[in-house]
Amino acid sequence: MRNGHAVVLGGGFAGMVTAGVLTEFYEWVTVLDRDSPSAPGDYRRGAPQGRHAHGLMPRGAQLLEEVFPGLLAEMAADGAVRAEMLVGHRFRVGGDELPQVATGLRSVQATLPFHEEHLRRRLLERDGVQFMPGVDVVGLVADDASATGIAGVRIILREPGSTEETIAADLVVDAMGRSGRTPYWLEQLGYDRPPEERLTVDVAYASRVVRLTPEGAECVRHLVGGDAKGVSRGILMHAVEGGRHVVTVTGSGSDNSPPVDETGFTDFLSTVAPPDVFQAVMAAESVEPISAYRFPTAIWRRYDKLDRFPTGLIVTGEALCSLSPLFAQGMTAAALEAAALRSCLTGGRHDLPRRFFREAARVVAAPWRMGIGANTSERHPRTATRLQAALMGRIMAAATRDAVVATQLVRVLILLDPPTALMRPRVLWSALTKGARVTDSVVPPPSSQVTAAGPDVV
């Protein structure tokens, strides 16, 4: 039965997917967001990464369809690009392209505002849903003096003369991204902060939106992604709504930060784009100016490790774990966490935080390990880690020559199969016989692109 009131803090992708799940179990769902309403297609101030390449991997697409039936067809009708992984996708590893091979896995490619607008519209069509923009959340409300549970949140409207208000809730979900303040609020209530795992990533982005010529669009097709040979640089270029393409170049470390001036951007692009793709971009019409973004550190807040945690509160999305963007798995992980929450709620609300954080840790573990394996900002301190990195390099090299390995690699990168699938005899044999000599400095495709979200055939 649907009963009670759930409050979601954060109106981004993770918050709205989670809210969609909560409407199945709560009579009332309120979504609070710091940003004021924006016009269709505008970028939210609270999503500084929104101007860069985003997409929805097959698994994420499947999960969204389960929460919002018919959503994928609506997005496609409004211009989102549906594309089969590897077919029409040009992935590069160490400068070499993966083979074109049918996978049956279809991604959804669109800008972040496009994704969010469609989620918001479908969410607001549901009974009992309220969306409150322009709100600052200033704290949690404990259920009693011992703070064993959370009974609501304290807010202030972002309007002159506003005073603090309280919103009562049976469940509060922190989906406010990296800026989520749950660790601080827990400390205020007498709980421990969650231990944190951190990974230095130091990735910088520069992006622009272009409109290609017909010849350029045929050359680029749906998506180009991968790394440049010998340097910690990469490119992700994919088709989005409106007949446009988002061109994102990335670099790890201070020596590989993409410039945002025209000459510098062009010079950088020439070092990472295949020659025909570079020429296609040079002949394209620029629709938006160049924008920049930097991601210094990935953080996993280990709420699953806490001995004490209040009832009526969970944390999800980047407020729980901000993954390395090199694999573009953030939207996928958010959708998988929402699916984990649905499974937990199906089993009842008793001990919900502990059960959810345990399941969410299983979701996060695989992409987090991938980020560690791909990290080139720090030396691998352990011999075992160095050997794993070297083996992964051989597997990726073999993938450029073996369609079976290429397919398996993509299925792992998009979180459809576990990393252990790369240890299958067929893959290992190809890595040993077809993989070039590599070192642990090999960098996987910067967003494995795989675009941005999950697995399974849609």
Side-chain angles (χ1 to χ4, degrees), residues 135-414:
V135 174
D136 282 324
V137 182
V138 297
L140 301 173
V141 177
D143 60 354
D144 55 32
S146 60
T148 57
I150 301 304
V153 293
R154 296 182 289 113
I155 68 167
I156 296 179
L157 300 180
R158 307 195 81 198
E159 298 176 356
S162 295
T163 58
E164 186 176 295
E165 304 175 34
T166 296
I167 298 180
D170 299 284
L171 177 68
V172 174
V173 180
D174 179 358
M176 294 193 293
R178 290 169 64 93
S179 62
R181 304 193 67 198
T182 294
Y184 170 73
W185 291 334
L186 286 176
E187 198 172 47
Q188 283 188 319
L189 295 173
Y191 290 85
D192 292 334
R193 284 175 173 259
E196 293 183 351
E197 295 184 24
R198 290 175 173 259
L199 176 65
T200 300
V201 180
D202 193 22
V203 174
Y205 295 81
S207 298
R208 79 179 326 161
V209 179
V210 301
R211 196 179 305 278
L212 299 173
T213 65
E215 296 77 17
E218 177 62 26
C219 160
V220 172
R221 304 186 76 180
H222 299 307
L223 180 148
V224 175
D227 62 334
K229 191 170 185 177
V231 293
S232 297
R233 296 183 177 187
I235 181 175
L236 170 60
M237 180 177 180
H238 68 183
V240 296
E241 73 277 7
R244 303 169 297 165
H245 281 72
V246 179
V247 184
T248 295
V249 291
T250 69
S252 298
S254 57
D255 295 336
N256 293 299
S257 184
V260 294
D261 62 283
E262 291 290 343
T263 300
F265 183 87
T266 299
D267 291 343
F268 192 99
L269 180 66
S270 69
T271 68
V272 295
D276 55 345
V277 173
F278 177 75
Q279 293 302 323
V281 177
M282 289 300 95
E285 170 195 359
S286 294
V287 179
E288 296 180 7
I290 301 168
S291 56
Y293 180 68
R294 179 174 290 278
F295 187 99
T297 308
I299 303 173
W300 183 3
R301 297 185 174 101
R302 301 302 304 267
Y303 290 101
D304 58 302
K305 300 291 187 182
L306 291 175
D307 294 329
R308 294 176 60 245
F309 196 86
T311 61
L313 173 67
I314 65 170
V315 184
T316 191
E318 289 202 331
L320 174 68
C321 181
S322 56
L323 295 166
S324 168
L326 288 175
F327 295 97
Q329 296 163 326
M331 292 172 69
T332 308
L336 288 168
E337 289 163 19
L341 177 60
R342 170 195 265 167
S343 177
C344 290
L345 284 169
T346 300
R349 301 181 190 181
H350 172 70
D351 203 19
L352 179 63
R354 184 188 63 81
R355 291 188 293 119
F356 170 74
F357 289 134
R358 182 180 59 196
E359 294 301 317
R362 292 172 180 166
V363 168
V364 168
W368 184 261
R369 287 196 297 269
M370 290 183 206
I372 293 175
N375 181 34
T376 58
S377 299
E378 301 171 344
R379 290 184 177 275
H380 298 301
R382 297 187 301 167
T383 300
T385 307
R386 291 198 300 269
L387 291 175
Q388 290 171 4
L391 176 59
M392 189 62 186
R394 280 191 171 272
I395 291 172
M396 290 189 292
T400 65
R401 306 177 179 95
D402 188 323
V404 173
V405 179
T407 301
Q408 186 60 78
L409 176 63
V410 167
R411 288 175 65 90
V412 169
L413 292 172
I414 63 176

Side-chain angles (χ1 to χ4, degrees), residues 7-29:
V7 174
V8 178
L9 316 181
F13 182 90
M16 287 190 286
V17 175
T18 302
V21 166
L22 293 175
T23 61
E24 302 173 21
F25 302 92
Y26 290 83
E27 185 177 8
W28 304 100
V29 176

Side-chain angles (χ1 to χ4, degrees), residues 107-158:
S107 64
V108 180
Q109 296 172 188
T111 61
L112 185 59
F114 183 96
H115 284 291
E116 293 180 344
E117 287 163 16
H118 283 75
L119 284 174
R120 187 180 303 112
R121 184 172 67 210
R122 289 298 297 272
L123 189 59
L124 289 174
E125 290 175 355
R126 298 195 170 177
D127 293 338
V129 173
Q130 181 183 17
F131 196 94
M132 293 181 61
V135 174
D136 282 324
V137 182
V138 297
L140 301 173
V141 177
D143 60 354
D144 55 32
S146 60
T148 57
I150 301 304
V153 293
R154 296 182 289 113
I155 68 167
I156 296 179
L157 300 180
R158 307 195 81 198

